[in-house]
Amino acid sequence: MSDSRHIRTFHVVVNAGTYSKAASLLGYTQPAVTQQMKALERSVGSPLFVRVGRRMRLTEAGETLARHAEAILESLDLAEERVTAITRLRSGTVRVCGFPSANATLVPEALAHLSAEHPGIRVSLLDDEPPDSLGRLGRGECDVTLAFTYPGASDELPEDVVAVPLMEDQLTVLMPVAHPRARRRSVCLADFSGERWIAGCARCRTHFLHACAELGFAPDIAYTTDDGLVVQSLVAQGLGLALVPSLVLPFLRLDRVAGRALRPAVHRRISAYVLRGHLRVPATVRVVEALRTVTERRIGC
């Protein structure tokens, strides 16, 4: 179609009735208005005005365009306002994909902080474990991914993906409160070589099996689930132990289960991942900053 400036000038000419009055209202010269109208007529492929005495009368094409011009300009104004709001951080929607324990802890804290600082920014949430969550980022299904890696392992990231380290999350052994070793403040994984276990997601399970192999035993994995509530219920019923992140500790059923830190300590690294180009999108940057703020608070506690 045509330049939006020409549509705006056309709208003023229609209301003013002459090029000279329109030029005066717009602060243009009359030749400038004339040239814009000629350019608009070339764009639509038809004359828009015919002269009747000193006034301009719309042709059929001009009348059609006039009926739509106001709606076109209102839509453009609305679009410009929304884009400006996004670039000035007043609004915008950011899609965040996190793993379950992060979505239950870090993300709500970050969203509360974000809501206080930038109430116009909206966040939609997805739930997925790595590496699948990183695949979502690459396919454009989300804007920010929260994922974790274990010691000795790392994700091969495409060049356009940036990792923002957030925190180290210590691993703990989850056991029934009646378990003999629940009286200790920390435990060694090798002490549980004869126990039954409940394993989590594929990445957690791989790390767990590797850690046990280094200690010289193969764990008896009785159940597999990445649902934290199910894990707790199974442990509470005495059906097995579980190696879980410290992020889940605030949600423990303390009357039934206990979490004890591993000795020596083992941590997994939690990071936020974004496409490099999204670092130029203010709303996305503010979400990442909110995540960094809440994780720094946790580290400082």
Side-chain angles (χ1 to χ4, degrees):
M1 187 58 175
S2 55
D3 191 316
S4 63
R5 294 172 300 173
H6 298 166
I7 300 291
R8 294 186 187 279
T9 301
F10 169 78
H11 187 58
V12 174
V13 171
V14 170
N15 290 324
T18 66
Y19 285 176
S20 59
K21 287 183 180 180
S24 177
L25 291 171
L26 291 167
Y28 296 162
T29 64
Q30 182 172 331
V33 172
T34 301
Q35 290 303 314
Q36 286 196 39
M37 293 303 92
K38 287 182 178 179
L40 183 58
E41 289 177 333
R42 288 194 298 270
S43 177
V44 300
S46 172
L48 298 173
F49 298 98
V50 293
R51 184 176 294 278
V52 179
R54 294 184 176 182
R55 294 186 63 84
M56 308 295 294
R57 191 182 73 186
L58 290 168
T59 64
E60 183 178 358
E63 289 178 351
T64 300
L65 182 58
R67 285 195 298 271
H68 295 282
E70 187 168 355
I72 292 171
L73 294 174
E74 286 178 354
S75 295
L76 287 171
D77 289 341
L78 180 60
E80 289 173 2
E81 180 181 341
R82 289 179 176 175
V83 170
T84 299
I86 291 171
T87 58
R88 293 182 181 176
L89 304 180
R90 295 203 306 269
S91 68
T93 298
V94 181
R95 301 164 299 168
V96 175
C97 181
F99 52 95
S101 56
N103 278 351
T105 52
L106 300 180
V107 172
E109 292 177 24
L111 295 188
H113 176 81
L114 187 71
S115 179
E117 297 292 325
H118 306 288
I121 297 177
R122 299 296 183 95
V123 174
S124 62
L125 291 179
L126 297 170
D127 192 291
D128 212 344
E129 299 276 6
D132 294 338
S133 57
L134 290 168
R136 285 178 176 261
L137 182 68
R139 293 191 299 272
E141 296 174 9
C142 60
D143 306 304
V144 179
T145 287
L146 283 171
F148 57 85
T149 55
Y150 284 102
S154 61
D155 290 299
E156 294 185 6
L157 301 175
E159 291 184 0
D160 60 344
V161 173
V162 177
V164 181
L166 295 177
M167 64 179 290
E168 300 286 326
D169 188 20
Q170 187 172 358
L171 299 184
T172 64
V173 176
L174 198 62
M175 64 190 76
V177 292
H179 195 285
R181 289 187 171 83
R183 295 190 292 269
R184 301 181 182 180
R185 298 185 63 180
S186 60
V187 294
C188 177
L189 188 59
D191 294 338
F192 303 97
S193 59
E195 301 273 3
R196 291 195 303 174
W197 289 88
I198 302 150
C201 71
R203 176 164 292 194
C204 295
R205 187 164 59 254
T206 297
H207 170 263
F208 175 57
L209 290 171
H210 178 74
C212 293
E214 287 192 328
L215 294 173
F217 73 95
D220 176 12
I221 298 178
Y223 304 97
T224 300
T225 176
D226 58 3
D227 187 316
L229 292 177
V230 174
V231 170
Q232 286 193 48
S233 295
L234 292 171
V235 173
Q237 294 295 329
L239 297 173
L241 310 183
L243 192 62
V244 300
S246 294
L247 278 180
V248 307
L249 296 184
F251 302 99
L252 290 184
R253 298 165 55 184
L254 297 178
D255 60 325
R256 305 285 300 278
V257 299
R260 297 294 178 259
L262 278 180
R263 183 182 67 250
V266 178
H267 298 82
R268 64 179 186 175
R269 170 168 289 186
I270 298 174
S271 301
Y273 297 83
V274 295
L275 295 177
R276 194 176 303 278
H278 286 180
L279 293 176
R280 297 193 297 271
V281 179
T284 302
V285 172
R286 293 299 175 260
V287 169
V288 174
E289 289 177 349
L291 288 166
R292 293 184 68 175
T293 296
V294 300
T295 51
E296 286 170 2
R297 288 176 184 169
R298 282 175 169 266
I299 294 171
C301 291

